[in-house]
Amino acid sequence: MLCAFWLASSPTQGTAVTPSGEAGLYVAGGLNVALPTVTLGAIAGVADGFDLDFRYDTHAGLVHDVGLTARFAWAERFAAAVNVSYSFFAIEEVSGILAVRAPFSNGATVAPDVRWRVLDRKDHHLSLMGGASVRWLGLEEDEFGTVSRRLEFSVRHAFLEVGAEWIGDSGSTWLRVRAVVPIEAEFRVLGYLPWIVVGHTWSLQ
């Protein structure tokens, strides 16, 4: 998966947390594989070392995802985050595959992660992040083709990510490379899914 995003105003990346009392809106647009992708969100610093990030993503109107992330920073180079999200397909079938059987999206998940800022310099940053996604509400199809929601608790996938950011006069350019390891789905090709995001961030202020 190759993604590219250009953001007019974005939440902070990595372990940096929005200062208490500050808030902002952000919008992003780009391509996810061949699908136009739009992201809308708001972020606010709730207390020292703690912020909340609400975002909505859509991939060409075919997939929708709404989520809330709570992020906590401790020490100087470490942070943890918990994301609660709900995603769904607006169509029943994608390239001959029923959406209800898709290994990603469809259902409610909680995804905790831990972040470590490996390198923090004035003009560039490097960070590591690892976590997992746990589904607690999913879709089930019975023998008659009827789809219903049901409670379930299962680890969907684990991931490890390396992020780099370069600070310039006009904003920051960043690269995020993530290895997603499916656990719940029977999806074994490389043993993991490569996920790459490259973008540039600037502010309208």
Side-chain angles (χ1 to χ4, degrees):
M1 181 181 295
L2 176 61
C3 305
F5 288 95
W6 294 267
L7 295 85
S9 178
S10 84
T12 51
Q13 305 289 326
T15 62
V17 174
T18 303
S20 177
E22 294 188 11
L25 302 175
Y26 60 91
V27 59
L31 293 175
N32 184 342
V33 188
L35 296 178
T37 300
V38 175
T39 298
L40 303 174
I43 191 168
V46 178
D48 290 339
F50 174 51
D51 66 13
L52 291 175
D53 180 4
F54 174 81
R55 71 162 50 193
Y56 161 75
D57 296 286
T58 180
H59 304 278
L62 303 179
V63 184
H64 302 272
D65 184 271
V66 179
L68 177 66
T69 299
R71 185 167 45 184
F72 310 84
W74 78 90
E76 182 178 355
R77 294 178 177 269
F78 294 92
V82 177
N83 173 264
V84 179
S85 63
Y86 181 78
S87 60
F88 62 93
F89 284 88
I91 56 177
E92 296 182 356
E93 184 177 310
V94 181
S95 299
I97 301 175
L98 293 178
V100 68
R101 298 176 182 173
F104 297 97
S105 298
N106 269 345
T109 60
V110 57
D113 67 65
V114 177
R115 310 174 184 198
W116 173 36
R117 186 170 50 190
V118 180
L119 181 65
D120 184 16
R121 296 186 176 178
K122 183 178 180 179
D123 56 348
H124 58 278
H125 306 141
L126 181 67
S127 62
L128 292 176
M129 180 172 70
S133 174
V134 179
R135 179 159 63 179
W136 56 273
L137 179 64
L139 301 180
E140 183 178 41
E141 182 182 22
D142 62 22
E143 57 183 325
F144 303 104
T146 302
V147 178
S148 59
R149 292 179 176 84
R150 66 182 177 89
L151 287 174
E152 63 173 67
F153 295 90
S154 60
V155 180
R156 304 189 71 188
H157 60 266
F159 61 86
L160 178 66
E161 177 179 308
V162 178
E165 183 178 19
W166 296 268
I167 310 299
D169 295 336
S170 62
S172 62
T173 301
W174 44 269
L175 172 67
R176 296 165 59 192
V177 180
R178 176 180 293 191
V180 180
V181 181
I183 296 176
E184 178 187 54
E186 295 181 1
F187 193 86
R188 299 290 184 271
V189 180
L190 298 174
Y192 70 95
L193 299 176
W195 184 87
I196 302 172
V197 180
V198 60
H200 184 78
T201 303
W202 70 92
S203 175
L204 293 178
Q205 298 178 352

